[in-house]
Amino acid sequence: MGVTVANSLMESLKKNPSLPNLQIVILEGDNNGGGGMPQFNQNQDSPEWKAATARNANTISVGASMHVFSTRKTVYSLLSNGIQDAMESLQQQLFSRSSIKNTATTTNHPNPELFAKPPPFFAFKPYYCLGPAAAWNERLAFINYGLHYWYTALVKGGQQDAAARAKILVQLAKATRHKFVTEIAPEYESASSSSNWYSEGLLSVHRTKQDAQEVLDECQEFGVPAQKLSWEEAIQREPRLQNLPFDNDSLHVVLRTNDIAANCEEYTRLLLDKCQQQHGVQVENSQGKVTRIDHHADTSSYTILQEETGTSTQVDVVVLAAGSETPLLAQSLGMGIANHVPTYPLRGFSYTVVTTTTTTQQQQQQQQQQSNEQHANNNNSNWLLQSAICMDNLYMSSVKPWMARLTGFGELAGFPKQLEVQAASSQAPRVLHQYAQALFGDMTQEEDKKIHNIALETAIPCFRPMSPDDLPMVGSLGIGKNKKNKGLFVHTGHGTLGWTTAFATADCCAQDIIDYLLVKDEDDGEATTEKKAYILPDGTKLDRNLISPSRFGWFGS
């Protein structure tokens, strides 16, 4: 999230020549982001992504933004899914895991019984949120998030309020899609000769006709283009749907034409390179993660500390965009600030499938060129998945011709742990393994294009910063009793819609920072602005208060 803000800020500074030249530094604050994003090539083992974007993001899903989690209905789902998850975890402990481990190597036919009902999306692990496994600052973060969530879901979480918040998310998603298609993607295509472009269209697969119709009705309500497909039409767009162990007439498919599947890690890398090479942004990720921020009220400045290496950085403006670590950094500035940043990690899992090949380097180059030409003509026939798929709250899409990614789940399971053995257990790897085996199990025995990593260990966790009301938190934290904290901003809380909404919210954050810089030297010393609306990348306007962190906080903080 910090990279998107840096890019938007530099673009905004170009439009305001009256402002002095500024030095922007991106410091590592995410526990799962250290060390940058590694390159990954075909014929290697599974990628060990560290950054959350590389681990889980794969779509700009305008359709997914129609749904919010902070509703009374979701509270019921959270409780029922939690019970289901606990029962399945107990059952798994009673029986040997060997029966499900690496089953793709012994059979290409998935067991229909494993797909009899949708897997639980939510899970709650209180031992890791409030118990001995959590540090005190992590417990405070959960309590802060939990109080705001329960208030939003149970007191405000009626159908009308949820629909209003969903409309804001759809507006942000549409604006992000506009910027991606008109600015980000063309820049990438001009800078790269590879075929890591984006594809449009997502197949939303449902178990009942009623569920499919509800999605169509929602799409019509929110202005999201969609159409119902016959099973034959769906198979024509994505033949691998036939591999799922369902009868042809038991699944119902809706095509959301505006959703985008892309290799998000590649585009994030493009933005990072652009910030460094074109804008002179410094990226410091070798000094350990940021652990504390000190505010100096007398000079309106901040000291950012990386205590692992004893490094400190003095700055005038800070943007808290540290992913799941953001609420902990906010606590270092005092609970008055932390009350306005009640985010909490929502753990998901990513399962990346890759193919190996025995072709020569010259043949690979010829295949790459052919892939470029086919993709430019919207022909993805040589990709692992020709179309993105959403089923049972799982998203499946190709991010390269030889790489597909399956993602999903929303678990309240504490903060990221340094060692995976310290983390809460989950049913998610098993479920993702089952779907990967069903979709691609027939490719495990091929010689010239073979999938070799369909295994439980392929699934890796990622942690998304979730806000209590599903809306991102964007803007100044120098609010309420904290007005002395001038120059402090936040860009977090995107939850599962980070890639779907981040380009739009980054522009919003940049507008707030520019407004602050334009007035901060005035005599009254107050960094305020009369502007009430953000201008989004597609030209629409959004009331700043709707996504401001000022909407949270207790006791007038």
Side-chain angles (χ1 to χ4, degrees):
M1 292 305 167
V3 176
T4 55
V5 174
N7 181 68
S8 293
L9 184 56
M10 295 307 300
E11 291 175 347
S12 298
L13 288 171
K14 286 183 178 180
K15 301 174 184 177
N16 291 273
S18 60
L19 289 171
N21 291 330
L22 301 176
Q23 177 61 60
I24 297 178
V25 181
I26 299 176
L27 298 169
E28 186 57 70
D30 187 347
N31 196 39
N32 268 351
M37 295 181 294
Q39 291 279 3
F40 179 67
N41 298 314
Q42 197 171 7
N43 299 333
Q44 291 180 338
D45 292 332
S46 301
E48 296 183 358
W49 306 121
K50 293 186 178 181
T53 296
R55 285 192 169 209
N56 202 53
N58 58 347
T59 56
I60 296 178
S61 183
V62 179
S65 61
M66 298 184 298
H67 307 121
V68 295
F69 295 142
S70 49
T71 65
R72 296 171 192 140
K73 181 179 179 180
T74 306
V75 171
Y76 171 78
S77 298
L78 180 63
L79 296 175
S80 61
N81 283 184
I83 295 173
Q84 181 181 348
D85 174 76
M87 295 297 293
E88 291 183 357
S89 296
L90 179 61
Q91 183 180 12
Q92 197 166 323
Q93 290 176 4
L94 294 176
F95 298 95
S96 172
R97 295 183 65 198
S98 60
S99 60
I100 64 172
K101 199 165 187 176
N102 297 332
T103 53
T105 60
T106 59
T107 176
N108 295 331
H109 304 286
N111 183 357
E113 295 181 1
L114 298 176
F115 297 82
K117 60 182 179 180
F121 177 79
F122 296 107
F124 175 41
K125 312 285 186 178
Y127 179 85
Y128 293 88
C129 298
L130 290 168
W136 275 108
N137 59 344
E138 296 174 349
R139 295 187 193 119
L140 287 175
F142 178 79
I143 292 171
N144 193 24
Y145 168 83
L147 291 174
H148 282 97
Y149 175 82
W150 289 107
Y151 174 77
T152 302
L154 298 180
V155 179
K156 298 172 58 180
Q159 185 174 358
Q160 186 174 0
D161 177 76
R165 285 181 278 127
K167 286 181 179 179
I168 296 171
L169 289 172
V170 170
Q171 183 181 0
L172 291 170
K174 288 180 177 179
T176 287
R177 184 189 187 281
H178 175 82
K179 182 165 184 174
F180 179 83
V181 172
T182 60
E183 299 180 32
I184 306 298
E187 285 185 5
Y188 179 82
E189 291 172 15
S190 65
S192 174
S193 60
S194 68
S195 59
N196 303 313
W197 304 343
Y198 67 92
S199 60
E200 297 184 87
L202 180 142
L203 299 176
S204 182
V205 183
H206 305 275
R207 293 172 179 257
T208 68
K209 186 176 181 180
Q210 180 182 354
D211 288 343
Q213 187 58 49
E214 287 179 359
V215 168
L216 279 172
D217 293 342
E218 287 178 334
C219 289
Q220 183 177 6
E221 177 185 355
F222 291 103
V224 176
Q227 64 185 84
K228 189 172 182 178
L229 299 183
S230 67
W231 183 246
E232 291 74 20
E233 291 172 325
I235 291 299
Q236 188 174 5
R237 290 187 66 95
E238 180 44 70
R240 290 201 169 274
L241 284 176
Q242 297 176 99
N243 294 353
L244 295 174
F246 295 92
D247 295 332
N248 292 353
D249 58 351
S250 65
L251 296 178
H252 307 268
V253 183
V254 174
L255 171 63
R256 301 200 308 241
T257 56
N258 267 15
D259 285 11
I260 289 175
N263 187 348
C264 302
E265 180 265 338
E266 289 286 349
Y267 287 101
T268 303
R269 190 188 306 281
L270 168 72
L271 288 181
L272 190 61
D273 291 343
K274 177 184 174 184
C275 286
Q276 291 177 280
Q277 297 172 13
Q278 297 184 24
H279 301 317
V281 174
Q282 294 183 15
V283 179
E284 299 291 345
N285 55 16
S286 61
Q287 301 298 322
K289 70 169 185 174
V290 174
T291 52
R292 198 174 85 238
I293 301 175
D294 294 336
H295 176 228
H296 310 292
D298 54 337
T299 58
S300 296
S301 63
Y302 298 85
T303 299
I304 301 176
L305 300 171
Q306 294 161 285
E307 295 176 322
E308 181 180 345
T309 57
T311 305
S312 63
T313 307
Q314 196 85 5
V315 297
D316 298 311
V317 175
V318 173
V319 180
L320 295 180
S324 60
E325 300 288 319
T326 302
L328 304 184
L329 288 179
Q331 287 183 26
S332 70
L333 288 157
M335 289 307 298
I337 292 295
N339 284 339
H340 291 288
V341 191
T343 61
Y344 196 77
L346 188 70
R347 187 175 71 174
F349 281 82
S350 170
Y351 191 110
T352 302
V353 176
V354 298
T355 62
T356 58
T357 178
T358 58
T359 56
T360 65
Q361 184 175 2
Q362 183 178 1
Q363 289 173 323
Q364 290 180 29
Q365 291 175 350
Q366 293 174 347
Q367 292 173 358
Q368 182 83 12
Q369 171 123 12
Q370 182 183 16
S371 178
N372 290 348
E373 295 172 354
Q374 290 178 332
H375 201 59
N377 296 318
N378 294 318
N379 179 2
N380 295 340
S381 59
N382 67 328
W383 288 45
L384 283 177
L385 286 176
Q386 298 179 30
S387 176
I389 305 169
C390 175
M391 181 178 180
D392 292 342
N393 290 315
L394 305 179
Y395 280 80
M396 299 158 266
S397 68
S398 286
V399 291
K400 290 177 183 281
W402 44 270
M403 179 190 295
R405 181 172 296 157
L406 292 76
T407 63
F409 297 94
E411 302 178 344
L412 297 174
F415 282 79
K417 303 300 179 184
Q418 293 296 326
L419 299 176
E420 291 295 334
V421 294
Q422 299 175 345
S425 61
S426 174
Q427 301 297 313
R430 176 180 59 82
V431 173
L432 292 173
H433 174 65
Q434 290 169 190
Y435 277 82
Q437 178 187 342
L439 288 170
F440 306 109
D442 60 327
M443 296 183 66
T444 57
Q445 306 303 320
E446 295 184 14
E447 294 301 328
D448 60 334
K449 192 178 181 182
K450 182 177 180 180
I451 288 181
H452 65 96
N453 69 325
I454 296 184
L456 281 172
E457 294 77 10
T458 301
I460 53 178
C462 62
F463 295 81
R464 294 79 58 93
M466 194 74 188
S467 76
D469 63 359
D470 296 271
L471 298 178
M473 299 177 195
V474 181
S476 173
L477 282 166
I479 50 184
K481 294 180 180 179
N482 303 302
K483 285 187 177 180
K484 63 180 181 178
N485 289 279
K486 297 185 298 180
L488 182 63
F489 299 86
V490 66
H491 185 241
T492 191
H494 298 74
T496 61
L497 299 175
W499 187 250
T500 297
T501 58
F503 289 131
T505 56
D507 276 13
C508 295
C509 191
Q511 290 174 43
D512 275 331
I513 296 172
I514 293 296
D515 291 341
Y516 165 74
L517 294 174
L518 289 172
V519 302
K520 80 183 192 72
D521 293 327
E522 293 183 359
D523 293 339
D524 60 3
E526 291 289 337
T528 59
T529 177
E530 296 300 323
K531 296 179 181 179
K532 298 298 182 183
Y534 292 119
I535 307 298
L536 300 183
D538 61 353
T540 61
K541 295 183 179 180
L542 178 66
D543 187 339
R544 296 191 183 208
N545 293 320
L546 295 176
I547 57 175
S548 169
S550 63
R551 67 187 191 274
F552 297 113
W554 303 106
F555 311 113
S557 63

